[in-house]
Amino acid sequence: MRRKETADRAFLEFIKAQAPTARRPARAPATAEAWDKRLDAVRKGLARSFGRFPGSDCELEPDVLGTIDRDGYVIERLTFQSRPGVRVTANLYRPEPVRGKCAAVLSVHGHWPWARIDPAVQERCIALAKLGYVCLCVDAFGAGERAVVPARGTYHGALLGASLWPAGVPLLGLQVYDNRRAVDYLISRPEVDPDRLAITGASGGGNQTMYAGATDPRLKVVVPVCGVGRLEAYLGTGCCVCELLVGGLTYATTGDLLALVAPRALLVINATRDAPQFSVVEAARSVVFARERFRSLDAEPRLKHLAVEAEHGYDRTMREALYGWLGRWLRDEGDGGPIAEPTHATEDPERLRCYPDAASRPKSVVTIPEFASREGNARLAELPPVADHPERWEADSIRMRTALVADVFGGFPARVGLELVHREESAGVALEMTSEPGLRLRGRFLTATAAPMKGTALLLRNDGMAPPDDPAVRALRRSGRHVLTVDLRASGARAPQAPAVQGVADHHPAEWALWIGRPLLGQWTWDALRWLDALDLLDKDDAGEDIAYAPYEVVGLGPFGLVAMLAGGLDPGRVRAVAASRPPMSFVGEGPWAGWPMGLIAPTVLDVGDVGHLAALVAPRRLAVGGGFGTDGADAPRDRLADAFAPTRAIYATLKARDRLVVLPDAALPPLIEALDG
């Protein structure tokens, strides 16, 4: 049990060691110049993490669909355009009558069952209107009426939100941009004072509030609730992918994000009975760091941290603290202490809908799968044409390999000593090696059971090292191949004990990997390359003479078929051939994704190419692909499989190696092994 627990925690401890606080003390800069330099680097990092924004802002084209009149306020049902062809569903709460120009608040909802129209969200919006503020509440991308099926309890995370990563448009970045456009809409309203704007939200909405406050200087007051702690505290737990800042731990701490608000007013509210990542203790550490920035700008009174005896939420005590803080810093009224909430009643959520159901919703209310498909196809359209000359492919392949490792995988670490340990067992040779500091992996080497000897197959499976009687192991050994079957980090026996989210077993470790800017797909590929290093060491007898373990082939089953193609593509010097049985076919689909390990989904990978382009990196060496699965997790029909590997086929033709590429409709391994033999 101790060995299993150690294996489970090894990946998490490795990730934690990469966090900024593990590498350097999180001390506040001592001078204004040092602060400016640090925060400028954070802004640049945020721009990378948020992904692609439109080159210019489109027209808002607001459309008010109806109003609800109440005593002292009015609620509007409306939409506006944030991107070309993408509309945001919203409600605007305004006082009635309006007297002069009003201060305004953008309210972001977080993970409440009804999204923006949830009664818990309505509470503050109605109260703000009765207190004389204009309040705009918008549905986050993929939530509420922007969900695939708008209904109570919609969720935009897990594979649904992760499907946006390959195109370089992460959910957090979409939210940041939508909220920026929501501020544009508020400013366009005749009753709004553009110099008196604020933002607030709780939970995921508190997270959105923090990022909006850090990046939009028009927001003069920022009040995140139950959404601030420390980025490092996400390691060991999980979050919705809408809260995941890809690569965030390589350049920022939460204290940096809060410091970006200075000298504007910031009230951080936490609940005493909350999850660790939003705890009072973690938030206090971030606030202490940011306070130095506020102090250096003579704005310390504008920063406050409030702990409320409560559970995760946005309760009345928190709301009344909001009203007082807004009064002090938006309207120059009071001392910032709490203001009593006016009496009010919330609406039936159905009354606040822009559209009664999905059937009545226009196509411009774009869902996540629709947007992911649109953006994914746009990335593919931007790729250069498939090389039609060997010299051009040589240049293209170098560019692709470089971009894949540096830009998509976040770089590979320096090679360290393998510290290879091997011992003879009845079922072969048990191996253990160091992939990188802090990560020991296990494998098993089994000799071929038939002649002639054809080298060694590195067998990759997402459920870890295969037993000796596994059908794939037996088939490879009977074909004259030695077999090295291995564990890769955070998979199989090495998988951390973390809860599945929406059926995604590797949800948490996939997120942890992205916090440090190194997607699991790249880390798995690195592990495979390190196992080839281990074969190089194993391929010697005691006298240092070569044993006939080479040449090497990489065989990947199911999802790890993609890892096999990548390892083979990145190591043309050692890998003679690659076989992939039922690998993923494409990072672009049409509907919601299913059946994928989240670790396979690498941000911006489509800037380099789709699966068929990446598979071409194996050319002109032998490549055998059997079957495949789509983004929906279903087996690919023959024509879809052919389309997916059309770029691969084109490169093999350019290199006059057509006969070395075999794409079979069935995932059975024996025909693939025969294809490797030619």
Side-chain angles (χ1 to χ4, degrees), residues 338-370:
I339 290 177
E341 185 170 79
T343 57
H344 61 275
T346 59
E347 302 286 337
D348 177 351
E350 296 287 354
R351 288 184 57 83
L352 299 182
R353 282 182 178 273
C354 292
Y355 308 103
D357 51 38
S360 63
R361 185 175 61 183
K363 292 290 187 182
S364 55
V365 181
V366 180
T367 65
I368 286 178
E370 292 166 340

PDB file of all heavy atoms in Angstrom, residues 338-370:
ATOM      1  N   PRO A 338     -20.614  48.295   5.625  1.00  0.00           N
ATOM      2  CA  PRO A 338     -21.775  47.660   4.994  1.00  0.00           C
ATOM      3  C   PRO A 338     -22.990  48.585   4.938  1.00  0.00           C
ATOM      4  O   PRO A 338     -23.193  49.435   5.805  1.00  0.00           O
ATOM      5  CB  PRO A 338     -22.042  46.437   5.864  1.00  0.00           C
ATOM      6  CG  PRO A 338     -21.346  46.710   7.160  1.00  0.00           C
ATOM      7  CD  PRO A 338     -20.179  47.575   6.838  1.00  0.00           C
ATOM      8  N   ILE A 339     -23.787  48.405   3.907  1.00  0.00           N
ATOM      9  CA  ILE A 339     -25.056  49.111   3.726  1.00  0.00           C
ATOM     10  C   ILE A 339     -26.162  48.069   3.690  1.00  0.00           C
ATOM     11  O   ILE A 339     -26.046  47.043   3.003  1.00  0.00           O
ATOM     12  CB  ILE A 339     -25.058  49.939   2.430  1.00  0.00           C
ATOM     13  CG1 ILE A 339     -24.107  51.133   2.582  1.00  0.00           C
ATOM     14  CG2 ILE A 339     -26.455  50.423   2.076  1.00  0.00           C
ATOM     15  CD1 ILE A 339     -23.979  51.981   1.335  1.00  0.00           C
ATOM     16  N   ALA A 340     -27.228  48.317   4.425  1.00  0.00           N
ATOM     17  CA  ALA A 340     -28.331  47.356   4.509  1.00  0.00           C
ATOM     18  C   ALA A 340     -28.939  47.097   3.137  1.00  0.00           C
ATOM     19  O   ALA A 340     -29.111  48.013   2.328  1.00  0.00           O
ATOM     20  CB  ALA A 340     -29.402  47.869   5.472  1.00  0.00           C
ATOM     21  N   GLU A 341     -29.258  45.854   2.903  1.00  0.00           N
ATOM     22  CA  GLU A 341     -29.856  45.471   1.623  1.00  0.00           C
ATOM     23  C   GLU A 341     -31.336  45.830   1.604  1.00  0.00           C
ATOM     24  O   GLU A 341     -32.075  45.478   2.524  1.00  0.00           O
ATOM     25  CB  GLU A 341     -29.689  43.964   1.402  1.00  0.00           C
ATOM     26  CG  GLU A 341     -30.162  43.472   0.057  1.00  0.00           C
ATOM     27  CD  GLU A 341     -29.748  42.030  -0.191  1.00  0.00           C
ATOM     28  OE1 GLU A 341     -30.416  41.134   0.349  1.00  0.00           O
ATOM     29  OE2 GLU A 341     -28.755  41.808  -0.906  1.00  0.00           O
ATOM     30  N   PRO A 342     -31.811  46.519   0.558  1.00  0.00           N
ATOM     31  CA  PRO A 342     -33.238  46.836   0.478  1.00  0.00           C
ATOM     32  C   PRO A 342     -34.058  45.572   0.287  1.00  0.00           C
ATOM     33  O   PRO A 342     -33.588  44.579  -0.282  1.00  0.00           O
ATOM     34  CB  PRO A 342     -33.330  47.755  -0.737  1.00  0.00           C
ATOM     35  CG  PRO A 342     -32.110  47.462  -1.545  1.00  0.00           C
ATOM     36  CD  PRO A 342     -31.046  47.064  -0.570  1.00  0.00           C
ATOM     37  N   THR A 343     -35.294  45.597   0.769  1.00  0.00           N
ATOM     38  CA  THR A 343     -36.169  44.432   0.600  1.00  0.00           C
ATOM     39  C   THR A 343     -36.512  44.264  -0.873  1.00  0.00           C
ATOM     40  O   THR A 343     -36.693  45.236  -1.613  1.00  0.00           O
ATOM     41  CB  THR A 343     -37.458  44.610   1.413  1.00  0.00           C
ATOM     42  OG1 THR A 343     -38.104  45.816   0.996  1.00  0.00           O
ATOM     43  CG2 THR A 343     -37.153  44.675   2.896  1.00  0.00           C
ATOM     44  N   HIS A 344     -36.607  43.019  -1.273  1.00  0.00           N
ATOM     45  CA  HIS A 344     -36.917  42.731  -2.673  1.00  0.00           C
ATOM     46  C   HIS A 344     -37.314  41.265  -2.792  1.00  0.00           C
ATOM     47  O   HIS A 344     -37.087  40.470  -1.869  1.00  0.00           O
ATOM     48  CB  HIS A 344     -35.713  43.014  -3.572  1.00  0.00           C
ATOM     49  CG  HIS A 344     -34.507  42.174  -3.242  1.00  0.00           C
ATOM     50  ND1 HIS A 344     -33.602  42.529  -2.268  1.00  0.00           N
ATOM     51  CD2 HIS A 344     -34.077  40.985  -3.734  1.00  0.00           C
ATOM     52  CE1 HIS A 344     -32.648  41.611  -2.185  1.00  0.00           C
ATOM     53  NE2 HIS A 344     -32.925  40.651  -3.068  1.00  0.00           N
ATOM     54  N   ALA A 345     -37.888  40.918  -3.912  1.00  0.00           N
ATOM     55  CA  ALA A 345     -38.242  39.533  -4.211  1.00  0.00           C
ATOM     56  C   ALA A 345     -37.622  39.151  -5.548  1.00  0.00           C
ATOM     57  O   ALA A 345     -37.609  39.955  -6.490  1.00  0.00           O
ATOM     58  CB  ALA A 345     -39.761  39.371  -4.265  1.00  0.00           C
ATOM     59  N   THR A 346     -37.072  37.928  -5.635  1.00  0.00           N
ATOM     60  CA  THR A 346     -36.475  37.476  -6.889  1.00  0.00           C
ATOM     61  C   THR A 346     -37.549  36.972  -7.841  1.00  0.00           C
ATOM     62  O   THR A 346     -38.679  36.689  -7.446  1.00  0.00           O
ATOM     63  CB  THR A 346     -35.444  36.368  -6.629  1.00  0.00           C
ATOM     64  OG1 THR A 346     -36.101  35.269  -5.975  1.00  0.00           O
ATOM     65  CG2 THR A 346     -34.316  36.874  -5.751  1.00  0.00           C
ATOM     66  N   GLU A 347     -37.168  36.842  -9.099  1.00  0.00           N
ATOM     67  CA  GLU A 347     -38.085  36.420 -10.153  1.00  0.00           C
ATOM     68  C   GLU A 347     -37.992  34.911 -10.382  1.00  0.00           C
ATOM     69  O   GLU A 347     -36.955  34.286 -10.119  1.00  0.00           O
ATOM     70  CB  GLU A 347     -37.737  37.128 -11.469  1.00  0.00           C
ATOM     71  CG  GLU A 347     -37.774  38.640 -11.410  1.00  0.00           C
ATOM     72  CD  GLU A 347     -39.182  39.188 -11.367  1.00  0.00           C
ATOM     73  OE1 GLU A 347     -40.115  38.487 -11.816  1.00  0.00           O
ATOM     74  OE2 GLU A 347     -39.357  40.331 -10.890  1.00  0.00           O
ATOM     75  N   ASP A 348     -39.061  34.337 -10.910  1.00  0.00           N
ATOM     76  CA  ASP A 348     -38.997  32.986 -11.460  1.00  0.00           C
ATOM     77  C   ASP A 348     -37.957  33.018 -12.580  1.00  0.00           C
ATOM     78  O   ASP A 348     -38.067  33.835 -13.511  1.00  0.00           O
ATOM     79  CB  ASP A 348     -40.360  32.595 -12.020  1.00  0.00           C
ATOM     80  CG  ASP A 348     -40.362  31.221 -12.673  1.00  0.00           C
ATOM     81  OD1 ASP A 348     -39.279  30.627 -12.846  1.00  0.00           O
ATOM     82  OD2 ASP A 348     -41.460  30.750 -13.047  1.00  0.00           O
ATOM     83  N   PRO A 349     -36.910  32.190 -12.526  1.00  0.00           N
ATOM     84  CA  PRO A 349     -35.864  32.254 -13.553  1.00  0.00           C
ATOM     85  C   PRO A 349     -36.400  32.205 -14.981  1.00  0.00           C
ATOM     86  O   PRO A 349     -35.840  32.849 -15.876  1.00  0.00           O
ATOM     87  CB  PRO A 349     -34.993  31.028 -13.235  1.00  0.00           C
ATOM     88  CG  PRO A 349     -35.147  30.838 -11.764  1.00  0.00           C
ATOM     89  CD  PRO A 349     -36.577  31.196 -11.476  1.00  0.00           C
ATOM     90  N   GLU A 350     -37.478  31.479 -15.195  1.00  0.00           N
ATOM     91  CA  GLU A 350     -38.013  31.362 -16.553  1.00  0.00           C
ATOM     92  C   GLU A 350     -38.426  32.722 -17.113  1.00  0.00           C
ATOM     93  O   GLU A 350     -38.369  32.945 -18.328  1.00  0.00           O
ATOM     94  CB  GLU A 350     -39.203  30.397 -16.573  1.00  0.00           C
ATOM     95  CG  GLU A 350     -38.854  28.961 -16.201  1.00  0.00           C
ATOM     96  CD  GLU A 350     -38.083  28.228 -17.296  1.00  0.00           C
ATOM     97  OE1 GLU A 350     -37.913  28.790 -18.395  1.00  0.00           O
ATOM     98  OE2 GLU A 350     -37.637  27.090 -17.042  1.00  0.00           O
ATOM     99  N   ARG A 351     -38.835  33.642 -16.257  1.00  0.00           N
ATOM    100  CA  ARG A 351     -39.272  34.956 -16.726  1.00  0.00           C
ATOM    101  C   ARG A 351     -38.104  35.795 -17.251  1.00  0.00           C
ATOM    102  O   ARG A 351     -38.318  36.732 -18.032  1.00  0.00           O
ATOM    103  CB  ARG A 351     -39.966  35.728 -15.601  1.00  0.00           C
ATOM    104  CG  ARG A 351     -41.345  35.207 -15.237  1.00  0.00           C
ATOM    105  CD  ARG A 351     -41.998  36.102 -14.182  1.00  0.00           C
ATOM    106  NE  ARG A 351     -42.096  37.495 -14.624  1.00  0.00           N
ATOM    107  CZ  ARG A 351     -43.066  37.977 -15.392  1.00  0.00           C
ATOM    108  NH1 ARG A 351     -44.032  37.170 -15.828  1.00  0.00           N
ATOM    109  NH2 ARG A 351     -43.090  39.260 -15.718  1.00  0.00           N
ATOM    110  N   LEU A 352     -36.892  35.455 -16.824  1.00  0.00           N
ATOM    111  CA  LEU A 352     -35.730  36.250 -17.208  1.00  0.00           C
ATOM    112  C   LEU A 352     -35.023  35.715 -18.449  1.00  0.00           C
ATOM    113  O   LEU A 352     -34.064  36.335 -18.935  1.00  0.00           O
ATOM    114  CB  LEU A 352     -34.732  36.310 -16.049  1.00  0.00           C
ATOM    115  CG  LEU A 352     -35.240  36.940 -14.753  1.00  0.00           C
ATOM    116  CD1 LEU A 352     -34.131  36.968 -13.715  1.00  0.00           C
ATOM    117  CD2 LEU A 352     -35.773  38.345 -14.996  1.00  0.00           C
ATOM    118  N   ARG A 353     -35.485  34.603 -18.951  1.00  0.00           N
ATOM    119  CA  ARG A 353     -34.866  34.038 -20.152  1.00  0.00           C
ATOM    120  C   ARG A 353     -34.977  35.002 -21.331  1.00  0.00           C
ATOM    121  O   ARG A 353     -35.976  35.700 -21.490  1.00  0.00           O
ATOM    122  CB  ARG A 353     -35.561  32.742 -20.552  1.00  0.00           C
ATOM    123  CG  ARG A 353     -35.184  31.509 -19.752  1.00  0.00           C
ATOM    124  CD  ARG A 353     -35.940  30.319 -20.330  1.00  0.00           C
ATOM    125  NE  ARG A 353     -35.626  29.070 -19.687  1.00  0.00           N
ATOM    126  CZ  ARG A 353     -34.608  28.279 -20.027  1.00  0.00           C
ATOM    127  NH1 ARG A 353     -33.796  28.654 -21.007  1.00  0.00           N
ATOM    128  NH2 ARG A 353     -34.391  27.147 -19.405  1.00  0.00           N
ATOM    129  N   CYS A 354     -33.962  34.989 -22.183  1.00  0.00           N
ATOM    130  CA  CYS A 354     -34.075  35.693 -23.459  1.00  0.00           C
ATOM    131  C   CYS A 354     -34.909  34.882 -24.448  1.00  0.00           C
ATOM    132  O   CYS A 354     -35.644  35.449 -25.256  1.00  0.00           O
ATOM    133  CB  CYS A 354     -32.683  35.936 -24.037  1.00  0.00           C
ATOM    134  SG  CYS A 354     -31.702  37.119 -23.095  1.00  0.00           S
ATOM    135  N   TYR A 355     -34.787  33.553 -24.349  1.00  0.00           N
ATOM    136  CA  TYR A 355     -35.502  32.655 -25.268  1.00  0.00           C
ATOM    137  C   TYR A 355     -36.116  31.529 -24.449  1.00  0.00           C
ATOM    138  O   TYR A 355     -35.494  31.036 -23.500  1.00  0.00           O
ATOM    139  CB  TYR A 355     -34.547  32.083 -26.317  1.00  0.00           C
ATOM    140  CG  TYR A 355     -33.751  33.151 -27.025  1.00  0.00           C
ATOM    141  CD1 TYR A 355     -32.414  33.376 -26.700  1.00  0.00           C
ATOM    142  CD2 TYR A 355     -34.343  33.963 -27.988  1.00  0.00           C
ATOM    143  CE1 TYR A 355     -31.679  34.372 -27.329  1.00  0.00           C
ATOM    144  CE2 TYR A 355     -33.623  34.966 -28.618  1.00  0.00           C
ATOM    145  CZ  TYR A 355     -32.287  35.161 -28.279  1.00  0.00           C
ATOM    146  OH  TYR A 355     -31.574  36.156 -28.890  1.00  0.00           O
ATOM    147  N   PRO A 356     -37.326  31.089 -24.814  1.00  0.00           N
ATOM    148  CA  PRO A 356     -37.992  30.074 -23.990  1.00  0.00           C
ATOM    149  C   PRO A 356     -37.311  28.714 -24.007  1.00  0.00           C
ATOM    150  O   PRO A 356     -37.402  27.965 -23.044  1.00  0.00           O
ATOM    151  CB  PRO A 356     -39.401  30.005 -24.583  1.00  0.00           C
ATOM    152  CG  PRO A 356     -39.297  30.597 -25.942  1.00  0.00           C
ATOM    153  CD  PRO A 356     -38.205  31.608 -25.884  1.00  0.00           C
ATOM    154  N   ASP A 357     -36.602  28.384 -25.097  1.00  0.00           N
ATOM    155  CA  ASP A 357     -35.961  27.068 -25.188  1.00  0.00           C
ATOM    156  C   ASP A 357     -34.913  27.098 -26.293  1.00  0.00           C
ATOM    157  O   ASP A 357     -34.749  28.099 -27.002  1.00  0.00           O
ATOM    158  CB  ASP A 357     -36.993  25.963 -25.448  1.00  0.00           C
ATOM    159  CG  ASP A 357     -37.896  26.290 -26.635  1.00  0.00           C
ATOM    160  OD1 ASP A 357     -37.405  26.862 -27.630  1.00  0.00           O
ATOM    161  OD2 ASP A 357     -39.098  25.989 -26.550  1.00  0.00           O
ATOM    162  N   ALA A 358     -34.220  25.972 -26.461  1.00  0.00           N
ATOM    163  CA  ALA A 358     -33.159  25.901 -27.469  1.00  0.00           C
ATOM    164  C   ALA A 358     -33.708  26.060 -28.878  1.00  0.00           C
ATOM    165  O   ALA A 358     -33.041  26.615 -29.763  1.00  0.00           O
ATOM    166  CB  ALA A 358     -32.409  24.573 -27.340  1.00  0.00           C
ATOM    167  N   ALA A 359     -34.925  25.599 -29.101  1.00  0.00           N
ATOM    168  CA  ALA A 359     -35.498  25.670 -30.447  1.00  0.00           C
ATOM    169  C   ALA A 359     -35.726  27.111 -30.894  1.00  0.00           C
ATOM    170  O   ALA A 359     -35.640  27.420 -32.086  1.00  0.00           O
ATOM    171  CB  ALA A 359     -36.807  24.887 -30.496  1.00  0.00           C
ATOM    172  N   SER A 360     -36.020  27.986 -29.949  1.00  0.00           N
ATOM    173  CA  SER A 360     -36.287  29.386 -30.300  1.00  0.00           C
ATOM    174  C   SER A 360     -35.030  30.242 -30.293  1.00  0.00           C
ATOM    175  O   SER A 360     -35.071  31.419 -30.656  1.00  0.00           O
ATOM    176  CB  SER A 360     -37.303  29.974 -29.316  1.00  0.00           C
ATOM    177  OG  SER A 360     -36.763  29.992 -28.000  1.00  0.00           O
ATOM    178  N   ARG A 361     -33.918  29.671 -29.892  1.00  0.00           N
ATOM    179  CA  ARG A 361     -32.664  30.413 -29.772  1.00  0.00           C
ATOM    180  C   ARG A 361     -32.012  30.562 -31.143  1.00  0.00           C
ATOM    181  O   ARG A 361     -31.858  29.584 -31.870  1.00  0.00           O
ATOM    182  CB  ARG A 361     -31.739  29.645 -28.823  1.00  0.00           C
ATOM    183  CG  ARG A 361     -30.451  30.301 -28.481  1.00  0.00           C
ATOM    184  CD  ARG A 361     -29.693  29.481 -27.448  1.00  0.00           C
ATOM    185  NE  ARG A 361     -29.348  28.143 -27.920  1.00  0.00           N
ATOM    186  CZ  ARG A 361     -28.739  27.225 -27.183  1.00  0.00           C
ATOM    187  NH1 ARG A 361     -28.430  27.500 -25.923  1.00  0.00           N
ATOM    188  NH2 ARG A 361     -28.451  26.041 -27.680  1.00  0.00           N
ATOM    189  N   PRO A 362     -31.583  31.761 -31.523  1.00  0.00           N
ATOM    190  CA  PRO A 362     -30.953  31.928 -32.836  1.00  0.00           C
ATOM    191  C   PRO A 362     -29.575  31.283 -32.890  1.00  0.00           C
ATOM    192  O   PRO A 362     -28.933  31.047 -31.869  1.00  0.00           O
ATOM    193  CB  PRO A 362     -30.872  33.443 -32.998  1.00  0.00           C
ATOM    194  CG  PRO A 362     -30.863  33.977 -31.607  1.00  0.00           C
ATOM    195  CD  PRO A 362     -31.720  33.039 -30.801  1.00  0.00           C
ATOM    196  N   LYS A 363     -29.120  31.005 -34.100  1.00  0.00           N
ATOM    197  CA  LYS A 363     -27.815  30.378 -34.301  1.00  0.00           C
ATOM    198  C   LYS A 363     -26.674  31.234 -33.766  1.00  0.00           C
ATOM    199  O   LYS A 363     -25.590  30.730 -33.464  1.00  0.00           O
ATOM    200  CB  LYS A 363     -27.582  30.098 -35.787  1.00  0.00           C
ATOM    201  CG  LYS A 363     -28.483  29.020 -36.372  1.00  0.00           C
ATOM    202  CD  LYS A 363     -28.113  27.649 -35.835  1.00  0.00           C
ATOM    203  CE  LYS A 363     -28.899  26.550 -36.542  1.00  0.00           C
ATOM    204  NZ  LYS A 363     -28.574  25.209 -35.980  1.00  0.00           N
ATOM    205  N   SER A 364     -26.918  32.537 -33.649  1.00  0.00           N
ATOM    206  CA  SER A 364     -25.860  33.434 -33.176  1.00  0.00           C
ATOM    207  C   SER A 364     -25.562  33.264 -31.692  1.00  0.00           C
ATOM    208  O   SER A 364     -24.553  33.770 -31.206  1.00  0.00           O
ATOM    209  CB  SER A 364     -26.230  34.890 -33.464  1.00  0.00           C
ATOM    210  OG  SER A 364     -27.485  35.201 -32.900  1.00  0.00           O
ATOM    211  N   VAL A 365     -26.428  32.563 -30.947  1.00  0.00           N
ATOM    212  CA  VAL A 365     -26.093  32.181 -29.571  1.00  0.00           C
ATOM    213  C   VAL A 365     -25.301  30.879 -29.689  1.00  0.00           C
ATOM    214  O   VAL A 365     -25.850  29.779 -29.648  1.00  0.00           O
ATOM    215  CB  VAL A 365     -27.343  32.025 -28.690  1.00  0.00           C
ATOM    216  CG1 VAL A 365     -26.946  31.653 -27.264  1.00  0.00           C
ATOM    217  CG2 VAL A 365     -28.150  33.318 -28.685  1.00  0.00           C
ATOM    218  N   VAL A 366     -24.004  31.029 -29.868  1.00  0.00           N
ATOM    219  CA  VAL A 366     -23.136  29.926 -30.260  1.00  0.00           C
ATOM    220  C   VAL A 366     -22.754  29.093 -29.038  1.00  0.00           C
ATOM    221  O   VAL A 366     -22.350  29.635 -28.002  1.00  0.00           O
ATOM    222  CB  VAL A 366     -21.867  30.472 -30.949  1.00  0.00           C
ATOM    223  CG1 VAL A 366     -20.934  29.339 -31.361  1.00  0.00           C
ATOM    224  CG2 VAL A 366     -22.253  31.304 -32.166  1.00  0.00           C
ATOM    225  N   THR A 367     -22.850  27.783 -29.149  1.00  0.00           N
ATOM    226  CA  THR A 367     -22.460  26.888 -28.063  1.00  0.00           C
ATOM    227  C   THR A 367     -20.966  26.578 -28.137  1.00  0.00           C
ATOM    228  O   THR A 367     -20.302  26.847 -29.146  1.00  0.00           O
ATOM    229  CB  THR A 367     -23.252  25.573 -28.117  1.00  0.00           C
ATOM    230  OG1 THR A 367     -22.889  24.872 -29.318  1.00  0.00           O
ATOM    231  CG2 THR A 367     -24.757  25.840 -28.125  1.00  0.00           C
ATOM    232  N   ILE A 368     -20.446  25.983 -27.079  1.00  0.00           N
ATOM    233  CA  ILE A 368     -19.025  25.635 -27.065  1.00  0.00           C
ATOM    234  C   ILE A 368     -18.658  24.674 -28.194  1.00  0.00           C
ATOM    235  O   ILE A 368     -17.669  24.919 -28.905  1.00  0.00           O
ATOM    236  CB  ILE A 368     -18.613  25.074 -25.691  1.00  0.00           C
ATOM    237  CG1 ILE A 368     -18.529  26.211 -24.666  1.00  0.00           C
ATOM    238  CG2 ILE A 368     -17.276  24.340 -25.769  1.00  0.00           C
ATOM    239  CD1 ILE A 368     -18.186  25.764 -23.264  1.00  0.00           C
ATOM    240  N   PRO A 369     -19.383  23.567 -28.414  1.00  0.00           N
ATOM    241  CA  PRO A 369     -18.987  22.693 -29.525  1.00  0.00           C
ATOM    242  C   PRO A 369     -18.996  23.404 -30.873  1.00  0.00           C
ATOM    243  O   PRO A 369     -18.108  23.169 -31.703  1.00  0.00           O
ATOM    244  CB  PRO A 369     -20.025  21.571 -29.475  1.00  0.00           C
ATOM    245  CG  PRO A 369     -20.492  21.549 -28.066  1.00  0.00           C
ATOM    246  CD  PRO A 369     -20.489  22.976 -27.633  1.00  0.00           C
ATOM    247  N   GLU A 370     -19.973  24.271 -31.088  1.00  0.00           N
ATOM    248  CA  GLU A 370     -20.027  25.005 -32.355  1.00  0.00           C
ATOM    249  C   GLU A 370     -18.835  25.944 -32.493  1.00  0.00           C
ATOM    250  O   GLU A 370     -18.215  26.031 -33.559  1.00  0.00           O
ATOM    251  CB  GLU A 370     -21.340  25.790 -32.450  1.00  0.00           C
ATOM    252  CG  GLU A 370     -22.572  24.911 -32.579  1.00  0.00           C
ATOM    253  CD  GLU A 370     -23.874  25.656 -32.336  1.00  0.00           C
ATOM    254  OE1 GLU A 370     -23.842  26.741 -31.701  1.00  0.00           O
ATOM    255  OE2 GLU A 370     -24.934  25.145 -32.764  1.00  0.00           O
TER     256      GLU A 370
END
